[in-house]
Structure formats: structure tokens, C-alpha cells
Amino acid sequence: METLVIGALNEEINGLRAALENAESRKLGPFEVHCGKLGGKSLFLCRCGVGKTNAAAATSAVLTAFPSVKRVINTGVAGGIGGGIKRCDVALGIKTVHHDYDQTPDGYRKGQVDGFDSEFFDDDKKMLELMERALKNENIRYVKGVIASGDQFIASKETAKRINGEFGAIACDFESAPIAQVCALYKIPFLSMRAISDDGGDGAVTSFYEFLHSAAEKNARAIKAFMQM
């Protein structure tokens, strides 16, 4: 089964790129896709860039150019905002949501996108089970829950508390929900996993850059184990 792993930053996919066998690269407009083998299975890697528009555009480009892709993993780092999750844990998505999408004056729920019955996009249960096994095999602590996305770096405890209260989210990022939405449109199974680099509070920016590499390394280890299953 061919898998696409997509991350916003080079640091979030470099560990997997270095492990690719028989790697080749292909340009898709502004995006570059790296194709190869990992664990004897085909893997596609793409750096989408930060933000919801970049994430959606890159995901659509890859799924259109490579219709053989049958599942998508969004990897990267995120801020932890609830559910007992701590810095350097992994947030494993059961659902994603756009925390900044608001069409409530038109009768929708907060986060609900026109054309969808719920504000939440479900992560794939089979992929979730496999990734749980991979994380356990690698002795990486994780917490399952809702991952909330928006075009906003959360560096305020008040904002983090509000997002947690509205959606029950354990982590917030920029890209999970838009990638999940594109996968829903294409009917492709999706999973988000985010290593926690900060707590969404006042020191979030500094903490993010301090823990970026170690957090991304945890995800790379887990995905390598996942690909061998």
C-alpha cells in the first residue's frame, strides 16, 4: 500500500527522507515529492509549507499526480493544549477540526465546513491502531484525541484554553484539518500524529524551536516502525 507522509517543514520529513531507498524526486508546481521504499513499501514524502492553504494545495497536488497513494499521514510538531498531554509526547489524532472556521451565523456549528455533516474529520481507525502499536514498540508516550488546526500560532494560555473548551482538543497546529478535509474529499484514509513541542502558552515560540528536531525524530521513528507492519 502506497503511503504519503506530508509535513510543513523540512525538519519534519528529513529523517524519513534520509531513510528512503531508491529515492527519486519530482516537482509538482511549487512542491517537491520524494518517492522511494521504506520497510519494503512505497513511500511518498512532501514538504507542504506552513499554513492551511499550503497544506491543502500540496495534498491535492500529490493525490492527483499519484492516484496510487492509498493512505496519508500528516506528521510534524504541535502545541499541547489539554488532555494531560506533555511536551515531547505524541498527539495521535482520532479527529481533526478547523478551530478558526466559523460559519455559525449561517446555522453551522463552529468548525463545520459547508458540505460536511460534522465539524470533525475522523482519522482512520485501522491506521490509528497500527500507529499505536508502532509508538508502543518504540516506547514513545502518546495521547489520543482531537487535533485542532488554524492559521494561528497559539502562544496564549487563554486561547489554548478556549480551543480546548470548544472542541476538546489536546493539540493545535496549522495543517492537520485541511489535509484531513482534502483526504475526505478524495476518500483517502488519513491519520495525523504530532509530537508536542510546547504547551501553547507564552513561551511557545521559543519552546517550539528548541524541541523541533527531537520532536520530529520521535515521529520519524514511529513512522518507520509503522511502515514495517
Side-chain angles (χ1 to χ4, degrees):
M1 180 179 290
E2 298 190 356
T3 304
L4 166 63
V5 174
I6 186 165
L9 304 173
N10 283 324
E11 291 87 347
E12 295 170 337
I13 65 168
N14 278 346
L16 294 171
R17 184 180 176 186
L20 279 182
E21 300 175 356
N22 304 317
E24 298 179 353
S25 297
R26 176 177 167 183
K27 290 286 288 184
L28 297 176
F31 306 110
E32 187 172 23
V33 182
H34 309 286
C35 316
K37 295 285 186 179
L38 185 64
K41 299 174 184 176
S42 295
L43 181 67
F44 296 82
L45 296 174
C46 181
R47 174 191 176 276
C48 64
V50 176
K52 295 169 74 173
T53 300
N54 284 331
T59 306
S60 297
V62 179
L63 294 181
T64 299
F66 299 100
S68 59
V69 170
K70 300 301 180 187
R71 59 186 182 184
V72 175
I73 298 172
N74 176 220
T75 186
V77 296
I81 61 171
I85 201 162
K86 300 177 181 178
R87 190 166 56 187
C88 291
D89 288 348
V90 167
L92 198 53
I94 56 173
K95 297 176 184 292
T96 63
V97 64
H98 296 280
H99 69 74
D100 61 350
Y101 190 96
D102 191 350
Q103 204 174 343
T104 54
D106 202 22
Y108 291 80
R109 291 185 292 275
K110 181 75 178 291
Q112 184 182 6
V113 177
D114 184 28
F116 292 88
D117 294 333
S118 171
E119 64 269 43
F120 296 105
F121 301 97
D122 292 328
D123 286 53
D124 183 72
K125 291 182 180 179
K126 184 175 181 180
M127 293 175 68
L128 180 63
E129 291 172 359
L130 289 175
M131 192 61 76
E132 281 194 83
R133 286 171 49 194
L135 288 162
K136 290 175 180 176
N137 289 345
E138 293 297 314
N139 295 312
I140 297 172
R141 187 178 184 273
Y142 68 93
V143 178
K144 294 188 294 183
V146 175
I147 298 177
S149 303
D151 279 330
Q152 181 182 9
F153 195 119
I154 305 303
S156 158
K157 289 185 177 179
E158 290 76 17
T159 304
K161 183 177 180 180
R162 176 183 59 76
I163 295 170
N164 169 262
E166 286 180 334
F167 303 105
I170 62 171
C172 55
D173 66 11
F174 286 81
E175 296 87 21
S176 291
I179 296 174
Q181 182 177 339
V182 172
C183 288
L185 292 170
Y186 278 78
K187 297 182 174 17
I188 298 291
F190 167 81
L191 179 68
S192 179
M193 59 180 299
R194 292 279 175 162
I196 300 302
S197 61
D198 61 82
D199 64 0
D202 296 341
V205 175
T206 300
S207 180
F208 174 86
Y209 287 105
E210 286 178 349
F211 286 86
L212 173 60
H213 293 279
S214 61
E217 186 271 337
K218 287 180 182 289
N219 284 350
R221 282 169 47 205
I223 292 172
K224 289 175 185 177
F226 174 91
M227 291 294 292
Q228 294 173 351
M229 293 178 176

